Amino acid sequence: MEMKMEKLRVGILGATGMVGQRFVTLLSDHPYFQIEVLAASARSAGKTYEEAVGGRWKMDTPMPETVRNMKVMNVSDVESVAGQVDMVFSAVDMTKDEIRKIEEAYAKTETPVVSNNSAHRWTPDVPMVIPEINLSHFDVIPFQRKRLGTTRGFIAVKPNCSIQAYAPALAAWKEYEPYEAVITTYQAISGAGKTFKDWPEMVGNIIPYIGGEEEKSEREPLRILGRLEDGVIVPAKEPVITCQCVRVPVLNGHTAAVFLKMRKHPSKEELIDRLVHFSGYPQEHHLPSAPKQFIQYLEEDNRPQVALDVDYEKGMGVSIGRLREDTVYDWKFIGLAHNTLRGAAGGAVLCAETLVSLGYIARK
């Protein structure tokens, strides 16, 4: 049942970058959230949002009128920003150490932080959540608050964009005990914050390396599939994953080719059934950004395709296809997810909606 509530005042940290712009488009007419503050680096501070972004607006819809003339604040003025909002979304472009410090600084002002950044994904008491999969990891928040000395401030993060194309399948099939996976991801250029205008070298090209992505793609699913123990998230030990990450000439949409070994031996029909019926708290509570069906299975041999399937469920669903038995591994399949919606800002917004619904975020 959709909540009726007074909207929460939110700030967007790093509002001028590509993920920040996506947050702006997703939150400009949201039933739970009202954009109160746009914050960015010192060079953007004091300008209107339209002036600060300049010719770098990268969304395929126009800049919302409600934010064009909003004055951009300095993201480093933590107390000033925090004093005007109930929570913040973080997409700041800084070093990992700087991100860790500034996100903790916001949390210590009693401001919940929902982050798209990777800096806190391995902080043991920070939940890294895909709400349909590991909702229970939000239970670590009281332990984090104790460490930070806060009563309402905390940090929560969403996982890396590349794993959205296959981690949901691993979760849906957990009962069959997947224990080894070989994966190649084919990642869109928007994952690097680029368009073809910014990055003409990518037209007709692939680059077989994306810095830091392989480690994230191998490790983060294990944290999502892990458990809360003694106030920290303990990663699962399986499936052991090895991954290669390739940049491809696609604007939006990360595709994954997955080879998987399982200890148990389900039929193809059982595997598909688990995919299409896999759902969680966001579906049960009809959260605004939740896809009605989290995972779709496509029977055609040539699906999923970025051109046809990336916007499934407004970019918040996952598409799986080409599931078949393998002679070396037990099963292989292709997965696809929208990297800047489910994989980035949209995933963070869904986390925030879930946290509001659970009572972790409320008006100050």
Side-chain angles (χ1 to χ4, degrees):
M1 192 164 75
E2 194 165 307
M3 299 173 61
K4 286 185 168 49
M5 55 175 281
E6 188 177 359
K7 288 189 180 186
L8 298 169
R9 303 163 301 154
V10 303
I12 301 172
L13 313 181
T16 58
M18 182 177 263
V19 175
Q21 292 175 25
R22 182 67 80 180
F23 274 125
V24 166
T25 62
L26 292 173
L27 297 171
S28 62
D29 188 27
H30 193 283
Y32 290 13
F33 307 118
Q34 175 75 40
I35 299 173
E36 194 73 22
V37 172
L38 299 171
S41 64
R43 67 180 176 273
S44 295
K47 298 177 181 177
T48 67
Y49 186 61
E50 188 171 28
E51 289 168 343
V53 171
R56 296 178 296 109
W57 182 254
K58 297 179 180 182
M59 300 297 101
D60 54 9
T61 55
M63 182 182 290
E65 291 296 328
T66 51
V67 299
R68 283 183 185 275
N69 296 315
M70 195 176 281
K71 280 284 196 306
V72 176
M73 295 185 67
N74 189 331
V75 74
S76 297
D77 291 341
V78 176
E79 294 286 345
S80 298
V81 173
Q84 299 182 44
V85 299
D86 300 307
M87 64 160 294
V88 294
F89 291 96
S90 177
V92 290
D93 184 13
M94 299 175 171
T95 67
K96 286 196 177 182
D97 283 344
E98 290 169 337
I99 292 169
R100 276 191 282 269
K101 286 176 185 170
I102 200 165
E103 290 183 348
E104 284 209 359
Y106 273 95
K108 286 177 178 177
T109 68
E110 300 292 359
T111 305
V113 179
V114 178
S115 180
N116 183 71
N117 295 306
S118 64
H120 273 294
R121 288 183 193 153
W122 288 90
T123 303
D125 60 9
V126 170
M128 178 175 73
V129 173
I130 297 175
E132 289 90 347
I133 297 176
N134 60 325
L135 181 82
S136 64
H137 287 196
F138 285 139
D139 292 344
V140 80
I141 288 171
F143 297 94
Q144 183 194 149
R145 282 173 167 163
K146 185 175 180 183
R147 173 176 64 85
L148 295 174
T150 61
T151 56
R152 74 184 297 280
F154 64 90
I155 302 162
V157 300
K158 53 142 287 295
N160 195 44
C161 51
S162 64
I163 75 168
Q164 313 288 331
Y166 58 90
L170 300 180
W173 296 334
K174 194 172 182 180
E175 68 187 283
Y176 303 122
E177 299 178 17
Y179 67 92
E180 186 178 311
V182 174
I183 300 169
T184 301
T185 61
Y186 304 91
Q187 300 188 204
I189 64 172
S190 58
K194 305 283 189 181
T195 65
F196 287 110
K197 180 182 174 185
D198 308 323
W199 203 359
E201 301 86 358
M202 275 306 302
V203 176
N205 190 24
I206 68 168
I207 298 175
Y209 172 73
I210 307 171
E213 283 293 301
E214 291 174 3
E215 181 185 25
K216 293 174 190 173
S217 299
E218 291 170 353
R219 296 178 64 213
E220 289 188 17
L222 296 175
R223 190 164 196 252
I224 289 166
L225 296 170
R227 67 191 188 283
L228 176 59
E229 188 176 293
D230 298 327
V232 299
I233 305 298
V234 179
K237 290 186 166 49
E238 292 179 342
V240 176
I241 300 171
T242 184
C243 188
Q244 292 196 102
C245 298
V246 180
R247 189 73 72 191
V248 295
V250 164
L251 180 60
N252 294 308
H254 287 357
T255 302
V258 182
F259 296 81
L260 192 61
K261 287 185 178 178
M262 294 178 174
R263 289 201 172 82
K264 296 184 177 176
H265 304 288
S267 67
K268 181 177 178 179
E269 291 71 27
E270 288 174 308
L271 291 172
I272 293 172
D273 180 75
R274 294 301 185 275
L275 292 176
V276 299
H277 291 105
F278 189 69
S279 66
Y281 187 94
Q283 286 72 38
E284 292 161 14
H285 292 263
H286 307 290
L287 298 182
S289 298
K292 287 185 174 60
Q293 184 175 339
F294 182 27
I295 306 172
Q296 68 168 341
Y297 183 77
L298 299 160
E299 297 283 355
E300 299 92 330
D301 282 342
N302 63 351
R303 304 281 287 280
Q305 293 181 29
V306 170
L308 299 176
D309 303 310
V310 73
D311 292 321
Y312 168 63
E313 290 279 17
K314 298 181 180 177
M316 290 298 290
V318 176
S319 299
I320 303 287
R322 302 218 70 213
L323 175 64
R324 56 215 193 276
E325 292 188 76
D326 185 64
T327 53
V328 177
Y329 283 73
D330 296 321
W331 295 95
K332 54 189 174 185
F333 68 92
I334 304 289
L336 170 67
H338 197 302
N339 56 294
T340 67
L341 286 169
R342 171 56 78 160
V349 171
L350 183 60
C351 279
E353 292 168 2
T354 306
L355 288 160
V356 170
S357 180
L358 291 169
Y360 283 105
I361 300 175
R363 287 185 67 85
K364 281 184 177 175

